[in-house]
Amino acid sequence: MTATRNLGFVAAAATLLAAAPLSAIFQRWTWLVQAAIVVAVVAGAAALSRLVRAPLWGQVLAMLAGLLLALTWIFPGGTELLAFLPTPGTFAHFGELFGASVQDMRSYGVKVPDVDSLLFLTVLGIGGVAVVVDVLAVGLRRPALAGLPMLAIYSVPVAVYVDSVPATPFVVGACGYLWLLVTDNVDRVRRFGRRFTGEGRDVDVWEASPLAAAGRRLAVVGVALAVALPLAVPGMTGGLMDAVGSGTGNGTGRPGQGGSPGRIDLFAALSGQLNQSEVADLVKVTTTEPAPFYLRFGVADELRPDGFRVRVPTGRPANRTLPDPTERAGRGVKQERYRATVEVTKNLNMPLLPVYAEPVKAEDLSGSWLYDPNLQILFSNRENSRGKRYSFDYVRSTYSPAALRAAPSLSADDPVLRQQTVAPVVREVDKLVDQLVEGKQNDYDKVRAIYGYFSVENGFTYSLSTKGGTSGDDITNFLATKVGFCQQYAAAMAWLVRRAGIPARVAFGFTNGSNSGGATYVLTNRNLHAWTEVFFGGIGWVPFDATPAASVQGSIRSAWAPDTDSPEEAAPVPGGTAAPGTVDPSAGPDGPDRADKETDAGLSLDGGGPTRQAPAWPWWTAGAFVLLALLAVPALLRRALRRRRRARAHGPTATVLDAGPGSPGGAREVMVGVDADRARADAHAAWDELLDTLVDFRVPVDRTETPRATADRLVRDTLTEDASAATAARLLGRAEERARYARDPLTGEALHPALRTVRGALAARADRRTRLLAAVLPPSVLLRWRRAIADTSARLVATGGQVRHRLLRWSPRRLLAGRLAR
């Protein structure tokens, strides 16, 4: 029974490890704590049922009862007895949670907050899998089949997670499954008593089995390949919304699959697409509105010290009834209803759909597309925008300055005020805001003062050759240099408005494109844009575009946010693309009044802005130098070794003796002698250099031959036509032989000139390729490296064997076998 209980607890632990991939879905770890409690209760109920020797069906009932009690305690409905005994009201509460989970699964994008309905569904699923795994692994003794319900858990994040699930949770789950298999194998062996090794002999329980070791290696290799191969397979190219998470700000600009709308960094994702020199059609929109405003698809409204970020959107299916903005229309707010049809090309691939603000009805969309009324965006956790064609009705709101000026300020406890005015404290920004809003009595005047600050008159200019981001440092630099592009204008204005105590956010979308005829507009990557939206009490979100209008293709200005750089507003053109106060795009950067401006060839966002690309030749040059340096390492090592060996051959040593007392004139006597140890060392160095030279020039070397036999073979096979080289080779062989075997080594011979003679003869008879390799990649150095690697590997294997042999003394299986033997 002990072994069975151990296997049951291992099955419970393996179930929890198999649930590790769910960490990619939830924001917090609440689900794991609750799942651990439920799985522990199920495992405890199974152990108690086996303790009383209940049949398998009794064990299943006990585990289901434990699961029910744990769920009742974790998700109470308020009618329980003793806090964990369920009542009919408890089952009704569970039904409500289950029904709500269906809607919440469609409303929330990853990562999901702690929602009771989704937590209940997750914990219930993990508890049910724990029951099935226990029945298969312990009751039926089929642990291999237990991998199927574990795989079902892993399939959940794979199905709902738009991006690939990280590899680490998969490895954790695989380790749990392998643990279950190993535990079952050990239990079976322990029951059998002895194992067969495949070598015709039995082994003790504690002794390692070659078959088991091979199985473990195969399992490890299989898991490693399962994780590594998907990483090596080329994936789809990145798209407009390919950059997710924090991002680096460097997009690819290539179409591809997008990510989840809750994890997109819109600032970083757009830069690569918009920095392209080629113009790509992204959207074609047909609208009944004569002068439409910007088509929008995203909002960044969470301001952190590192800049604006996108919150996880929530909403309801877009194919149902949407909120009607006309219900809150006030005096001075004009609202007209229009209809638009959007066709997205294959170049735009993201989990967001472009729509005009305040849509009231959507058609031709599946239930996977949701509408967030707070962010006013259409998003999906399962589909993307590529190739979509849909229609929608929307309300266009226009505001008079008087209406905005009369809008009441939000109360201190208003959720919009609390959330959309959060901004890090930056001293320079706060000081500037205080100066701009001084004396202003209402929110609109404060916003207009901040909006008017970003004007050419105040020194602001538009430039694509600037680095930019939305963090505090980036905004401070932009306000100091007053040179930037639309991302910096939109983020800076939103930051300043927030510091003035007024809700603000950054919106993303398209300016008006070229009119291809009638009421159809073609929007390209040149029309991608960012602007600021400000919230006014009783009215809602109102757009303000602080970027210089003359530098943005298709820019729109309005009566409440006119062009601060234009002396007077242009009248609207019937059927044209301009609204009241709009600067004609045709008179944009190429016009005479903006000849020094750059066109908005792209949107640089989140520090990855459009900058002048650095020349690539310095990197290629540096890489070439590094490659040449690496290739020169063997030759340099060979040269250094030859120099050290040459320094040893200095010939005989001179010994100076002081004159004795009877020496005439006190002259000193100089005696020339030879140090035997030094002579032997010189002979060995010369011989080693000769052998390396033979290897370099591809002359066979037999380490079992004597030095004289090697020299004679070299003369006989290679140096037959060069008498001086033959004499030099025999000299080197004789010097090495005397140094090895004779009492007195050979002295007084010039070994270094002999080496030079032999090397010159070998080089003369070798072909060009051999000489080049001997100079650049000496085979002797490479051979020495291979031998060093082999020796190191052999030492590591020997050390590992010794460590393993010592650890076997403390193996639990061996200790258990010894205890059973006693």
Side-chain angles (χ1 to χ4, degrees):
M1 296 301 296
T2 301
T4 304
R5 286 198 300 269
N6 291 339
L7 183 59
F9 288 124
V10 171
T15 303
L16 281 179
L17 293 177
L22 294 178
S23 61
I25 297 180
F26 288 92
Q27 292 180 355
R28 299 183 179 133
W29 295 95
T30 306
W31 69 273
L32 181 59
V33 177
Q34 296 175 346
I37 296 174
V38 170
V39 172
V41 173
V42 170
L48 291 176
S49 64
R50 296 187 189 102
L51 187 62
V52 298
R53 299 184 181 276
L56 181 57
W57 61 268
Q59 299 174 20
V60 174
L61 290 179
M63 288 186 287
L64 292 178
L67 175 60
L68 177 59
L69 294 177
L71 291 175
T72 303
W73 182 63
I74 296 175
F75 302 98
T79 61
E80 293 75 18
L81 300 176
L82 300 178
F84 63 92
L85 296 179
T87 62
T90 303
F91 291 100
H93 175 61
F94 286 171
E96 293 174 359
L97 290 176
F98 188 84
S101 66
V102 177
Q103 177 61 32
D104 290 338
M105 281 190 297
R106 306 178 68 176
S107 300
Y108 287 91
V110 292
K111 292 187 173 193
V112 178
D114 289 340
V115 182
D116 287 341
S117 59
L118 297 179
L119 289 175
F120 172 79
L121 186 64
T122 302
V123 175
L124 174 62
I126 295 176
V129 170
V131 174
V132 177
V133 170
D134 189 276
V135 171
L136 292 175
V138 184
L140 301 178
R141 298 312 300 266
R142 296 291 186 269
L145 294 179
L148 295 179
M150 294 181 182
L151 185 62
I153 298 179
Y154 183 74
S155 64
V156 173
V158 173
V160 303
Y161 201 75
V162 179
D163 304 307
S164 59
V165 179
T168 302
F170 172 77
V171 175
V172 173
C175 291
Y177 179 59
L178 295 177
W179 183 20
L180 178 61
L181 295 180
V182 170
T183 304
D184 178 77
N185 177 65
V186 172
D187 180 64
R188 291 176 182 272
V189 171
R190 188 176 288 114
R191 291 184 179 186
F192 184 75
R194 305 182 71 82
R195 292 179 296 174
F196 180 67
T197 64
E199 301 173 353
R201 66 181 181 87
D202 291 336
V203 295
D204 292 331
V205 175
W206 61 268
E207 186 175 350
S209 169
L211 295 178
R216 287 192 294 269
R217 294 190 187 98
L218 290 176
V220 172
V221 171
V223 173
L225 291 178
V227 175
L229 284 181
L231 300 178
V233 175
M236 300 181 67
T237 56
L240 176 64
M241 294 293 102
D242 183 61
V244 297
S246 59
T248 61
N250 298 320
T252 62
R254 299 182 300 236
Q257 182 175 353
S260 168
R263 303 184 69 244
I264 291 176
D265 186 338
L266 293 172
F267 291 99
L270 293 175
S271 59
Q273 178 73 235
L274 299 168
N275 282 323
Q276 293 187 99
S277 57
E278 299 179 358
V279 178
D281 293 344
L282 301 181
V283 175
K284 181 185 294 185
V285 56
T286 302
T287 177
T288 59
E289 185 178 2
F293 194 66
Y294 297 158
L295 192 70
R296 63 201 299 280
F297 56 74
V299 171
D301 62 349
E302 184 177 358
L303 181 53
R304 305 175 184 174
D306 60 343
F308 279 92
R309 292 293 179 264
V310 179
R311 283 191 298 113
V312 177
T314 59
R316 56 186 303 175
N319 55 9
R320 299 182 183 177
T321 303
L322 302 181
D324 188 358
T326 58
E327 297 177 355
R328 67 173 191 275
R331 187 177 181 180
V333 179
K334 182 181 179 181
Q335 294 182 324
E336 296 289 342
R337 183 162 176 161
Y338 302 100
R339 183 174 179 83
T341 300
V342 176
E343 297 180 34
V344 182
T345 69
K346 64 179 182 180
N347 297 321
L348 183 61
N349 191 4
M350 60 181 179
L352 302 167
L353 288 180
V355 292
Y356 290 113
E358 300 181 315
V360 294
K361 181 182 178 182
E363 299 176 357
D364 305 324
L365 292 177
S366 66
S368 298
W369 289 99
L370 310 176
Y371 178 69
D372 189 325
N374 296 320
L375 300 179
Q376 299 175 339
I377 63 172
L378 283 175
F379 68 96
S380 176
N381 296 320
R382 295 179 177 85
E383 298 188 39
N384 56 68
S385 62
R386 185 176 186 180
K388 286 287 186 296
R389 187 182 189 278
Y390 52 95
S391 301
F392 60 93
D393 295 343
Y394 67 97
V395 172
R396 169 70 187 280
S397 300
T398 56
Y399 316 94
S400 66
L404 296 177
R405 191 170 285 112
S409 299
L410 299 177
S411 60
D413 59 347
D414 189 282
V416 176
L417 181 70
R418 293 201 310 267
Q419 184 182 58
Q420 302 299 330
T421 56
V422 175
V425 177
V426 179
R427 185 172 56 183
E428 294 81 358
V429 173
D430 295 346
K431 183 179 179 180
L432 175 61
V433 171
D434 292 339
Q435 295 175 356
L436 294 176
V437 303
E438 183 179 2
K440 301 300 185 292
Q441 302 300 322
N442 56 76
D443 291 347
Y444 176 70
D445 288 340
K446 294 178 182 179
V447 174
R448 278 297 305 268
I450 296 173
Y451 172 78
Y453 175 71
F454 299 97
S455 63
V456 175
E457 183 180 354
N458 289 328
F460 282 88
T461 57
Y462 187 92
S463 175
L464 295 175
S465 58
T466 57
K467 295 182 178 181
T470 62
S471 68
D473 293 337
D474 296 323
I475 297 301
T476 303
N477 294 336
F478 169 64
L479 295 176
T481 60
K482 298 184 178 182
V483 178
F485 36 92
C486 58
Q487 171 259 339
Q488 292 167 303
Y489 281 93
M493 179 177 175
W495 194 309
L496 267 62
V497 171
R498 285 194 173 202
R499 293 306 298 170
I502 305 172
R505 63 189 185 186
V506 178
F508 300 86
F510 298 89
T511 60
N512 277 350
S514 59
N515 193 331
S516 60
T520 301
Y521 300 87
V522 177
L523 309 180
T524 70
N525 54 330
R526 296 294 178 89
N527 297 113
L528 287 165
H529 192 48
W531 62 94
T532 307
E533 292 182 343
V534 182
F535 191 88
F536 290 90
I539 294 179
W541 293 99
V542 179
F544 288 82
D545 189 359
T547 308
S551 301
V552 180
Q553 296 183 5
S555 177
I556 298 295
R557 289 300 182 265
S558 57
W560 66 88
D563 185 4
T564 57
D565 301 323
S566 178
E568 57 182 357
E569 301 176 0
V573 180
T577 62
T582 301
V583 177
D584 186 1
S586 62
D590 298 329
D593 58 338
R594 279 287 184 264
D596 59 336
K597 296 290 183 180
E598 298 181 64
T599 61
D600 191 359
L603 176 63
S604 169
L605 303 171
D606 194 36
T611 58
R612 290 195 178 98
Q613 186 176 4
W617 66 265
W619 297 102
W620 287 103
T621 304
F625 276 120
V626 172
L627 180 60
L628 292 176
L630 293 176
L631 293 176
V633 169
L636 295 176
L637 292 178
R638 183 73 179 90
R639 184 179 297 272
L641 180 60
R642 187 182 302 122
R643 187 172 301 169
R644 287 198 301 269
R645 289 168 175 171
R646 185 189 311 169
R648 296 176 182 175
H650 287 304
T653 58
T655 304
V656 181
L657 303 177
D658 291 334
S663 299
R668 291 194 292 178
E669 181 180 2
V670 179
M671 298 184 61
V672 178
V674 175
D675 186 350
D677 294 337
R678 177 64 177 274
R680 285 192 175 88
D682 292 345
H684 292 328
W687 183 251
D688 292 339
E689 177 62 25
L690 175 63
L691 294 182
D692 285 348
T693 302
L694 297 180
V695 173
D696 291 342
F697 289 99
R698 300 185 181 278
V699 177
V701 175
D702 188 355
R703 300 283 179 176
T704 63
E705 290 180 336
T706 63
R708 179 176 297 184
T710 299
D712 292 342
R713 180 172 56 81
L714 177 62
V715 172
R716 182 178 61 255
D717 297 341
T718 307
L719 304 178
T720 55
E721 300 179 358
D722 193 333
S724 60
T727 302
R730 290 193 174 95
L731 172 62
L732 295 173
R734 188 167 64 254
E736 175 64 13
E737 187 178 47
R738 289 280 300 272
R740 289 186 186 181
Y741 310 119
R743 182 189 299 265
D744 298 323
L746 185 65
T747 58
E749 300 292 343
L751 301 182
H752 179 64
L755 276 173
R756 188 165 53 238
T757 301
V758 174
R759 183 176 181 85
L762 293 176
R765 64 174 295 277
D767 54 34
R768 181 179 303 175
R769 180 175 180 273
T770 302
R771 290 196 300 269
L772 180 62
L773 290 178
V776 178
L777 293 174
S780 60
V781 176
L782 304 181
L783 178 61
R784 188 173 289 105
W785 285 354
R786 287 196 295 268
R787 289 176 177 173
I789 294 174
D791 293 342
T792 303
S793 177
R795 286 195 297 270
L796 291 177
V797 171
T799 303
Q802 295 174 359
V803 172
R804 182 172 177 273
H805 178 72
R806 294 176 181 176
L807 292 178
L808 283 177
R809 300 178 182 178
W810 305 98
S811 172
R813 290 184 289 179
R814 181 175 182 180
L815 296 177
L816 178 62
R819 185 180 304 172
L820 294 176
R822 290 195 296 271

